[in-house]
């Protein structure tokens, strides 16, 4: 029987692992679909305290993992498919790989998954000119026009990053004002390689003979006019959905958007012994540092829970 199993390896998961490992709880971490979490798909992180020159997202995550492992954290790369609280008080976790784990406490830190537009041929075009990750795919589109969809910090960050490769970056947003923080918005709007396309929605992906994206059909939602924008790749950056599907049937209380509901000022869920941390519970702050802080809180809450058992 494990003391504590931490599900997820983003900022929240690794921070929870560092704290529970240092508390001699010998945590087991089960990695999710995106080991390292969302920061592995980002580039420069400029706002994580302690790195005045910034740090690359993947490097920050590798450092966190090393720090957690240094104190004895064990890691298994297997997706959790279900979590169940047993009458005896412990939890049973099943994985897609067919393993069963038992633990006295669980910290869910599975984060959130990028959203797509929901257009008909969209998912079949992922990897053929549709993606949600500029860091992963930007370099595949040198000297050609590309589009980023969205108006938040993610869209701005991706647009800015893509100017290193693309000949032109269209920032397609459904309104005429960016949601992004002022510093990111100013950076993007001041970059002459980035062209905002306001009040516009992608209605269709158009492909060439090889099945690769060659253009998108846009609808201007103010004028109702349709147009075609020639781009070789579309980077969708319109937010995320929390990774809580595996909790179906677990009894863990989720809100309308499927985020785990935390118990007000701490990280307890409605099920005693199950805690959550980071973006899986947070649709307000969603920062690397807030996720890390929340991971620390969940570790301390779990530690107290285990001490009281
Ligand atoms: P977000 O702030 O929720 O922005 C999503 C954007 O996508 C919005 O502009 C939204 O339009 C648009 N959108 C949503 N659904 C759409 C749809 N179906 N079709 C077209 N457009 C759609 O998400 P985010 O940019 O991923 O950021 C999430 C959080 O992480 C934020 O708190 C952000 O500050 C933070 N973040 C921080 C950094 C950083 O500090 N380095 C980097 C990335 C993200 P509307 O504006 O019209 O709603």
């Amino acid at each position: 029987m494990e003391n504590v199993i931490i599900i997820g390896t983003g900022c929240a998961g690794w921070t929870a692992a560092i704290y529970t490992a240092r508390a001699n709880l010998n945590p087991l971490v089960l990695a999710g679909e995106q080991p390292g979490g969302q920061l592995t798909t980002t580039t420069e992180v400029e706002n994580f305290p302690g790195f005045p020159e910034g740090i690359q997202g993947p490097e920050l995550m590798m450092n966190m993992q090393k720090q957690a492992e240094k104190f004895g954290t064990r890691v298994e790369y297997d997706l959790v498919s279900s979590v169940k609280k047993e009458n005896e008080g412990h939890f049973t976790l099943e994985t897609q790989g067919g393993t069963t784990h038992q633990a006295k406490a669980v910290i869910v830190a599975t984060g959130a998954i990028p959203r797509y537009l929901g257009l008909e041929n969209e998912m079949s075009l992922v990897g053929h000119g549709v993606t949600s990750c500029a860091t992963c795919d930007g370099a595949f589109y040198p000297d050609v026009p590309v589009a980023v969809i969205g108006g938040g910090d993610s869209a701005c960050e991706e647009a800015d990053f893509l100017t290193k490769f693309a000949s032109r970056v269209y920032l397609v947003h459904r309104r005429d004002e960016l949601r992004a923080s002022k510093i990111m918005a100013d950076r993007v709007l001041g970059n002459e390689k980035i062209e905002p396309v306001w009040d516009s929605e992608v209605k269709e992906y158009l492909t060439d003979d090889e099945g690769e994206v060659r253009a998108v059909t846009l609808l201007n939602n103010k004028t109702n006019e349709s147009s075609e924008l020639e781009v070789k790749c579309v980077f969708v950056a319109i937010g995320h959905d929390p990774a809580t599907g595996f909790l179906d049937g677990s009894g863990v209380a989720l809100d309308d958007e499927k985020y785990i509901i935390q118990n007000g000022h701490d990280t307890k869920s409605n099920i005693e012994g199950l805690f959550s941390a980071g973006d899986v519970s947070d649709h307000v702050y969603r920062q690397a540092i807030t996720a890390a802080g929340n991971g620390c809180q969940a570790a301390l809450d779990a530690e107290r829970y285990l001490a009281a058992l």
Side-chain angles (χ1 to χ4, degrees), residues 33 80-83 96 108 110-111 113 241-250 254 257-260 280:
E33 256 174 85
V80 175
S81 50
S82 71
V83 175
Q96 288 186 10
V108 180
T110 42
I113 300 158
D241 291 313
T244 50
F246 69 100
L247 292 174
D248 282 353
S250 67
L254 308 178
E257 293 179 66
K258 306 270 184 205
Y259 287 81
I260 298 175
V280 75

Side-chain angles (χ1 to χ4, degrees), residues 192-208:
E192 58 185 26
K193 257 185 145 182
I194 301 175
E195 186 174 326
V197 183
W198 302 119
D199 304 314
S200 295
E201 296 166 28
V202 175
K203 288 292 168 197
E204 204 182 1
Y205 296 109
L206 305 172
T207 53
D208 61 19

Side-chain angles (χ1 to χ4, degrees), residues 284-296:
V284 179
Y285 301 105
R286 297 189 286 202
Q287 302 299 301
I289 188 67
T290 52
N294 207 215
C296 161

Side-chain angles (χ1 to χ4, degrees), residues 266-287:
D266 59 35
T267 63
K268 291 175 187 155
S269 70
N270 62 318
I271 295 194
E272 227 188 329
L274 188 139
F275 305 84
S276 68
D279 287 14
V280 75
S281 279
D282 175 15
H283 39 77
V284 179
Y285 301 105
R286 297 189 286 202
Q287 302 299 301

Side-chain angles (χ1 to χ4, degrees), residues 44-185:
E44 185 95 348
V45 180
E46 292 178 336
N47 52 10
F48 200 91
F51 300 93
E53 308 304 328
I55 181 165
Q56 293 293 310
E59 191 186 349
L60 179 61
M61 299 319 300
M62 280 191 308
N63 287 347
M64 286 190 197
Q65 176 165 359
K66 265 192 224 154
Q67 198 173 346
E69 288 176 334
K70 180 174 137 189
F71 296 111
T73 299
R74 293 158 298 135
V75 189
E76 284 183 22
Y77 295 89
D78 197 358
L79 292 173
V80 175
S81 50
S82 71
V83 175
K84 184 173 175 229
K85 173 118 186 197
E86 306 290 356
N87 291 336
E88 296 80 13
H90 66 272
F91 293 87
T92 301
L93 284 74
E94 305 284 350
T95 70
Q96 288 186 10
T99 309
T100 302
H101 296 279
Q102 295 192 314
K104 295 177 199 164
V106 172
I107 297 174
V108 180
T110 42
I113 300 158
R115 261 185 217 148
Y116 281 90
L117 295 169
L119 299 176
E120 206 189 329
N121 54 351
E122 189 167 46
M123 295 327 285
S124 65
L125 288 173
V126 171
H128 300 279
V130 175
T131 174
S132 64
C133 180
T135 319
C136 319
D137 299 323
F140 297 133
Y141 297 93
D143 304 318
V144 292
V146 300
V148 176
I149 316 301
D153 277 321
S154 299
C156 289
E157 203 173 70
E158 304 237 316
D160 192 43
F161 174 72
L162 288 166
T163 58
K164 289 187 194 176
F165 311 101
S167 58
R168 189 134 206 85
V169 179
Y170 297 100
L171 183 60
V172 179
H173 185 32
R174 62 185 179 182
R175 295 186 294 130
D176 62 0
E177 191 188 6
L178 295 174
R179 175 181 293 279
S181 55
K182 191 168 178 335
I183 185 168
M184 285 303 293

